[in-house]
Amino acid sequence: CFGFPLSIFFIVINEFCERFSYYGMKAVLTLYFTRFLRWEDNFATAIYHTFVALCYLTPILGAIIADSWLGKFKTILYLSIVYAIGQAVLSVGSISELTGGSANNLAPNIALSMIGLILIALGTGGIKPCVSAFGGDQFEENQERQRGTFFSLFYLSINAGSLLSTLITPTLRASECGIHTKQECYPLAFGVPAVLMAVALVVFIIGSRMYKKVKPRGNIMLEVSKCVGFAIKNRFRHRSKEFPKREHWLDWASDKYDKRLIAQTKMVLRVLFLYIPLPMFWAVFDQQGSRWTLQATAMNGDFGFQIQPDQMQIVNPILIVIMVPVVDSLVYPLIKKCKLNFTPLKKMTVGMFLGSLAFVAAALVQVQIDKTYPVFPAAWQAQIKLINVGESPATVEFQPQLGNVSIAPKKETGYLTFNASELQSLHITAALLNKTEPLDLQGEERYTLAFKWDTTNISSNLIWDNMTSKPEDGKSLVRFINNLPFTANVTMGDTNFGELDPLSVTNYTVVPKPDGSYTINASMLQTACTTVSKKFGYGSVYTISLDYCNENALSITYFEDIAPNTVHMAWQIPQYFLLTCAEVLFSVTGLEFSYSQAPSNMKSVLQAGWLLTVAVGNIIVLIVAGASTIEKQWAEYVLFAALLLLVCIIFAIMASFYTYIDPNEIEAQFSKEEKKDQDDNEKEAELDSRM
């Protein structure tokens, strides 16, 4: 079909569904850890990268099984079944009703989630080195151009699956479901990827009769290991000067192993040596799903419609879907016409450099986010905010002689910082009335003093805010202060804040959807007053004053305790663009380079080696997240950018010494020599028989 084997279309569709399943689950995984399992950011990041590392360690197992025992087809089939089971278990593990809706006993959820993730890692990792190599096997030796197009198409299907799943699963996650309590719907967000994995399995089975299935050729990885081990041992045994030197240290294995295996092992080791610096790229790249997603939770996702923090990952596959065809059909041919020798290793070097720039961009965005964070009091400090809920201006003096401030009606001061032991009282003056409010403030705490005055006295209420950080995960909080002369029952949407006496305050409560508006209702005596709230914005904290009721219309005033996220998520697009350019140059090229430089019987092994670099990259992030003492996130981004730039320079030097080979030519030469030796042996045997 169009010069391609028909079987590859089943492989591409299978890959699309499998990648939808994997990336859809992975897109919401970090927020699942932090919001549902209630893990701290660094621990969630560590577990996330442990899972990703495991996904890229298991390809070694998959390669051994495929090349040694089952072959690629059966390996993909059996491990896909394990994979589908893992997705189903993870989906069941995310059901809050397993513990009756209690957030205090999450042990069953954690246990099932970890079992599911281990099965997924075994499945997705096991089939990883097999699927692309299995697709490559469908082509004949004279179809090099079609094979190169297949790898681009294959990578396009990966990112098309990623694109759709990253758009859909965060939306499913943001919806609410549950029997006992309504919360983010992780069972649905994980359930849809589980269904897609089942579809991937069915599609792969349907095409089974069309596949070209290369039989396993023995435990080649074990043979290579034995060959390398024997060469090292033999070289050490013959280290004295009386033994002549050999051209390559692997040639010391020629006493036991044939020349073909030694030559093939040399090919593999030459490429594996080049892989040594590559993990640093993946340490940067895979933080899209962890650190960059957490960065997005502190940003404003209003694009006219609300983008979820985990949906920002969609920028990468969107750009990939656009850029892979453009680069393949326009950029590379243009470079070729300019007679520039843009070799695969040069492409990969430029990709690493762009990856470093992406993290510089991420650091610049993080600096802007940090500027929007509120400053909280130190251990010896306390902060106090003054709210004038009355109708007339007032002056407040901080005693003893720590200054004063004037406050207009329905206005606030913002949080003012004092030494907790020095500030002893507040003296409020309004018209001819005055009042002294004694204070006993604690260090590291925030307080609000709400006050108003009438014709006879000044009323006030000192409130402990119990707020020591910006709301986690981009949530928003709201509380109400009753400025009405009567006790009122307050509701906002479906949330009941209970009865409030005059000038009393509710506890802070999470706003279900900060990008939505809610009906606020205050019921008092036989009157009910309503109004519609504004959109609070993500990451905000508000105190709302119920002021007065006029013909059932409630008048309210908003006091901003913590500002909403103001740095727009669109500022993440440059870092995603740079990282996507890096991926096109590095990852797409690396897949094809690994296949083209591998001997025919070791392609899955070399693919597993390529994927192993991803695992090591995630382990690097795991170590940094667990052991780093860097407090500022932007500084950690700069650290990764600097490390990748250094590794990029090292890789460029190593690549300059690499000589490209054609494994088919070398193997054909060996086949020719072996045939010649066989013919010579047959002639000798014939002569001997005549004599």
Side-chain angles (χ1 to χ4, degrees):
C1 184
F2 302 108
F4 294 90
L6 188 61
S7 57
I8 69 151
F9 294 100
F10 289 94
I11 295 171
V12 169
I13 294 169
N14 164 268
E15 185 67 10
F16 168 82
C17 294
E18 187 272 326
R19 291 290 88 184
F20 184 109
S21 177
Y22 176 73
Y23 283 110
M25 173 274 303
K26 189 164 160 256
V28 301
L29 197 56
T30 298
L31 297 187
Y32 174 66
F33 290 156
T34 57
R35 296 185 179 182
F36 185 85
L37 299 182
R38 302 174 187 275
W39 290 345
E40 184 267 333
D41 283 1
N42 277 348
F43 184 69
T45 299
I47 297 299
Y48 174 89
H49 286 283
T50 300
F51 166 69
V52 177
L54 191 59
C55 288
Y56 288 93
L57 281 171
T58 48
I60 297 174
L61 178 64
I64 292 173
I65 293 171
D67 283 346
S68 305
W69 296 300
L70 298 179
K72 298 182 188 74
F73 173 76
K74 287 184 178 179
T75 301
I76 295 168
L77 178 63
Y78 296 153
L79 289 180
S80 291
I81 295 171
V82 173
Y83 192 167
I85 293 171
Q87 288 281 29
V89 171
L90 177 61
S91 181
V92 172
S94 65
I95 299 173
S96 62
E97 274 67 27
L98 288 176
T99 56
S102 171
N104 298 322
N105 180 23
L106 293 172
N109 303 92
I110 293 172
L112 285 174
S113 298
M114 293 305 102
I115 291 169
L117 289 174
I118 290 169
L119 292 175
I120 291 169
L122 181 62
T124 188
I127 68 175
K128 255 181 176 60
C130 304
V131 179
S132 58
F134 187 60
D137 288 343
Q138 307 306 306
F139 295 89
E140 301 299 331
E141 288 185 7
N142 62 348
Q143 292 183 298
E144 287 297 323
R145 184 183 61 81
Q146 289 93 333
R147 184 184 287 118
T149 304
F150 161 74
F151 280 116
S152 290
L153 187 64
F154 184 81
Y155 209 77
L156 198 63
S157 71
I158 290 174
N159 287 279
S162 172
L163 169 63
L164 286 177
S165 63
T166 309
L167 176 66
I168 293 169
T169 53
T171 304
L172 298 175
R173 188 266 310 158
S175 63
E176 293 182 350
C177 63
I179 298 172
H180 296 92
T181 55
K182 296 292 182 183
Q183 54 184 302
E184 291 179 322
C185 199
Y186 290 101
L188 186 59
F190 291 138
V192 170
V195 171
L196 263 292
M197 189 57 226
V199 171
L201 181 58
V202 170
V203 168
F204 186 72
I205 292 171
I206 289 172
S208 61
R209 292 188 178 181
M210 302 180 193
Y211 300 137
K212 178 182 175 184
K213 301 169 187 173
V214 178
K215 292 182 179 180
R217 306 182 183 183
N219 195 337
I220 192 65
M221 190 173 285
L222 182 61
E223 284 296 306
V224 169
S225 300
K226 284 181 178 179
C227 178
V228 171
F230 182 79
I232 294 171
K233 186 169 66 175
N234 204 29
R235 175 68 185 90
F236 184 77
R237 191 185 300 150
H238 300 89
R239 62 186 181 276
S240 63
K241 292 182 179 180
E242 61 184 86
F243 296 100
K245 290 184 178 180
R246 304 198 181 182
E247 187 178 345
H248 191 280
W249 63 271
L250 262 177
D251 292 332
W252 287 96
S254 59
D255 297 351
K256 185 176 181 180
Y257 295 92
D258 61 69
K259 291 181 180 179
R260 180 191 285 264
L261 178 64
I262 293 171
Q264 290 172 332
T265 305
K266 285 178 183 178
M267 293 182 224
V268 169
L269 291 182
R270 286 172 71 248
V271 178
L272 289 178
F273 176 72
L274 273 181
Y275 285 177
I276 292 173
L278 304 191
M280 199 62 228
F281 176 84
W282 299 113
V284 164
F285 182 81
D286 279 331
Q287 289 188 57
Q288 291 177 88
S290 57
R291 291 299 195 199
W292 285 14
T293 298
L294 293 172
Q295 184 186 62
T297 63
M299 302 177 78
N300 174 18
D302 185 7
F303 286 80
F305 53 91
Q306 187 61 38
I307 290 287
Q308 299 297 324
D310 37 357
Q311 280 182 317
M312 273 307 290
Q313 298 173 61
I314 200 174
V315 175
N316 174 255
I318 286 175
L319 290 173
I320 280 287
V321 169
I322 295 169
M323 290 175 64
V324 167
V326 169
V327 169
D328 224 24
S329 59
L330 187 64
V331 177
Y332 288 161
L334 191 61
I335 291 173
K336 193 173 182 181
K337 279 189 176 181
C338 294
K339 296 182 179 180
L340 296 173
N341 187 22
F342 201 33
T343 63
L345 293 179
K346 286 179 181 177
K347 294 175 187 175
M348 293 169 70
T349 303
V350 174
M352 294 172 85
F353 176 72
L354 291 176
S356 176
L357 289 183
F359 260 57
V360 172
L364 293 174
V365 171
Q366 190 63 46
V367 168
Q368 297 306 312
I369 292 172
D370 289 349
K371 289 179 181 178
T372 68
Y373 285 150
V375 177
F376 290 94
W380 65 91
Q381 294 175 326
Q383 290 180 336
I384 188 165
K385 179 169 75 167
L386 307 176
I387 296 177
N388 182 0
V389 294
E391 300 294 336
S392 299
T395 300
V396 179
E397 296 179 3
F398 303 97
Q399 304 288 0
Q401 297 180 347
L402 297 175
N404 62 75
V405 62
S406 296
I407 312 171
K410 301 293 188 293
K411 296 296 181 183
E412 59 186 322
T413 60
Y415 284 96
L416 305 171
T417 305
F418 295 92
N419 187 312
S421 61
E422 287 184 4
L423 183 59
Q424 297 174 6
S425 63
L426 298 175
H427 187 73
I428 308 167
T429 303
L432 299 176
L433 301 173
N434 59 75
K435 178 183 180 180
T436 298
E437 181 79 30
L439 301 175
D440 182 17
L441 306 183
Q442 303 298 314
E444 287 188 279
E445 297 293 350
R446 279 184 158 194
Y447 300 86
T448 296
L449 179 72
F451 63 88
K452 65 178 181 177
W453 69 280
D454 53 32
T455 55
T456 57
N457 72 309
I458 296 175
S459 303
S460 62
N461 184 8
L462 182 66
I463 309 150
W464 175 48
D465 287 349
N466 191 25
M467 182 65 60
T468 56
S469 65
K470 193 174 173 71
E472 295 180 356
D473 306 323
K475 293 176 182 176
S476 291
L477 304 176
V478 66
R479 67 180 177 182
F480 288 90
I481 181 168
N482 184 7
N483 193 25
L484 299 165
F486 312 104
T487 299
N489 187 75
V490 184
T491 62
M492 188 179 82
D494 295 330
T495 306
N496 190 340
F497 288 82
E499 288 194 346
L500 271 180
D501 293 328
L503 216 60
S504 61
V505 180
T506 67
N507 292 325
Y508 283 118
T509 302
V510 174
V511 178
K513 291 187 177 180
D515 57 323
S517 296
Y518 296 88
T519 299
I520 299 173
N521 184 286
S523 302
M524 52 200 158
L525 301 177
Q526 295 182 349
T527 306
C529 303
T530 61
T531 189
V532 177
S533 75
K534 70 173 188 176
K535 293 181 179 180
F536 296 98
Y538 285 78
S540 64
V541 180
Y542 283 95
T543 297
I544 302 176
S545 170
L546 308 175
D547 294 331
Y548 59 86
C549 181
N550 183 18
E551 296 180 353
N552 300 111
L554 183 64
S555 177
I556 61 176
T557 303
Y558 294 93
F559 297 102
E560 189 177 83
D561 301 338
I562 294 178
N565 300 338
T566 54
V567 179
H568 204 277
M569 283 187 195
W571 285 108
Q572 279 196 321
I573 293 175
Q575 66 201 55
Y576 273 103
F577 175 75
L578 287 168
L579 198 61
T580 303
C581 292
E583 182 184 4
V584 171
L585 290 167
F586 183 90
S587 190
V588 177
T589 306
L591 272 173
E592 189 174 353
F593 173 78
S594 296
Y595 192 92
S596 68
Q597 298 297 292
S600 59
N601 62 335
M602 297 186 189
K603 293 191 184 295
S604 287
V605 175
L606 205 49
Q607 288 288 319
W610 168 259
L611 295 169
L612 184 62
T613 64
V614 184
V616 177
N618 280 272
I619 291 171
I620 291 171
V621 183
L622 176 63
I623 293 169
V624 172
S628 175
T629 56
I630 299 174
E631 293 184 2
K632 295 293 185 181
Q633 187 58 54
W634 67 264
E636 186 178 295
Y637 288 149
V638 171
L639 172 64
F640 276 107
L643 289 173
L644 184 56
L645 181 60
L646 176 63
V647 167
C648 173
I649 295 168
I650 294 170
F651 181 76
I653 295 169
M654 292 171 63
S656 65
F657 292 99
Y658 185 84
T659 304
Y660 293 88
I661 59 167
D662 184 351
N664 293 330
E665 269 187 30
I666 296 173
E667 290 180 341
Q669 184 65 33
F670 276 107
S671 297
K672 189 176 179 181
E673 290 177 4
E674 287 169 1
K675 190 174 185 305
K676 184 175 180 299
D677 291 342
Q678 186 180 355
D679 291 343
D680 290 344
N681 290 336
E682 286 176 357
K683 286 178 182 178
E684 286 181 13
E686 188 178 343
L687 286 173
D688 290 342
S689 64
R690 288 177 180 177
M691 291 176 64

